[in-house]
Structures are given as C-alpha cells and as structure tokens.
Amino acid sequence: MDELLHLTLLYDFYGELLTEKQKQVFALHHQDDLSLSEIGEELLISRQAVRDQLKRTEKILQAYENKLGLVARFQSQKKAVRKMLEIMEEMETEGLCEKQIHQMEMVKKIAAAILS
C-alpha cells in the first residue's frame, strides 16, 4: 500500500489519540502538503524539530495499529464485502426467482453502504 495512503488511514483511525501539536504537524505536512521548513516557520520551530515531531507521530500511529489492528481489520472487511458483491453478481447471472432477486438487491445495498 502507498505509504501516504497508509499514514492517512492511520491518522483517520487514531488521530484523535494524538496531542494537538502532533495533529497539527501531521495535518500541515500530509494534508496541507507543506514542507518541513514551511511548517517550522509557521510554528516557530526548527525544521529538525518538525521532522522529529513528524517521525515520532508516525511511529505512534503505527504503534496504535500494531496494538489495535483497526486499519488492517477495516481493509480486510472491505475486501470481504467486495468478494461478497462479486459472488452475488455471479449468482444473478445463473437465474434466480423473484424473491431471491429482491433479497439479493437488499444485500447488495447493505454491502454498498458498508463500502462507502
């Protein structure tokens, strides 16, 4: 998985567990796409302090994931729901009775809601 996407997912799941300063540095760098120097100027700290804070925050987020595994579980569930949708698509081509078609549509709506 792309490192930026992975970090963003970690932040989405565990960001509220970070300090305000950690959230601020992470958001400025990864969401607002500011350089370390630009963040340092904005926060009145050195570029090195920004880098250290950013690396520490990324390690903290990864430590939360290692302990709790919420992102991995989320991705696994999404993969399983996609597979369910594929199976349902195959079943529809085999011909179903009207009741089964209705039930299939209900399940597909639930799966789509989970994926969105």
Side-chain angles (χ1 to χ4, degrees), residues 13-63:
F13 276 83
Y14 306 115
E16 289 305 311
L17 301 173
L18 299 172
T19 67
E20 288 305 313
K21 186 79 157 192
Q22 290 167 335
K23 287 192 260 188
Q24 185 179 27
V25 169
F26 187 92
L28 288 171
H29 185 67
H30 291 293
Q31 295 170 350
D32 298 342
D33 202 28
L34 294 182
S35 70
L36 301 180
S37 299
E38 291 169 325
I39 296 168
E41 288 174 16
E42 187 166 319
L43 300 179
L44 303 175
I45 58 177
S46 70
R47 179 191 177 286
Q48 186 62 42
V50 172
R51 183 186 178 286
D52 292 345
Q53 179 74 291
L54 191 59
K55 292 299 174 190
R56 192 173 320 115
T57 299
E58 291 170 1
K59 283 182 182 179
I60 289 168
L61 290 171
Q62 189 59 54

Side-chain angles (χ1 to χ4, degrees), residues 67-113:
K67 289 178 185 172
L68 301 172
L70 298 178
V71 172
R73 183 175 177 199
F74 170 73
Q75 291 173 322
S76 175
Q77 288 174 341
K78 283 186 83 162
K79 185 177 179 181
V81 171
R82 283 191 192 101
K83 183 64 178 171
M84 287 171 41
L85 286 171
E86 287 175 22
I87 292 168
M88 286 185 279
E89 299 277 329
E90 289 175 18
M91 289 173 66
E92 284 181 331
T93 61
E94 295 173 3
L96 303 170
C97 72
E98 192 172 316
K99 181 180 178 183
Q100 290 171 322
I101 291 171
H102 176 70
Q103 290 170 330
M104 190 74 69
E105 290 303 316
M106 299 275 296
V107 172
K108 285 170 76 175
K109 284 180 184 177
I110 293 168

Side-chain angles (χ1 to χ4, degrees), residues 1 3-15 26 61 65 71 74-75:
M1 175 186 304
E3 183 66 21
L4 180 57
L5 175 60
H6 181 68
L7 287 171
T8 302
L9 276 174
L10 292 176
Y11 184 78
D12 287 347
F13 276 83
Y14 306 115
F26 187 92
L61 290 171
E65 175 60 14
V71 172
F74 170 73
Q75 291 173 322

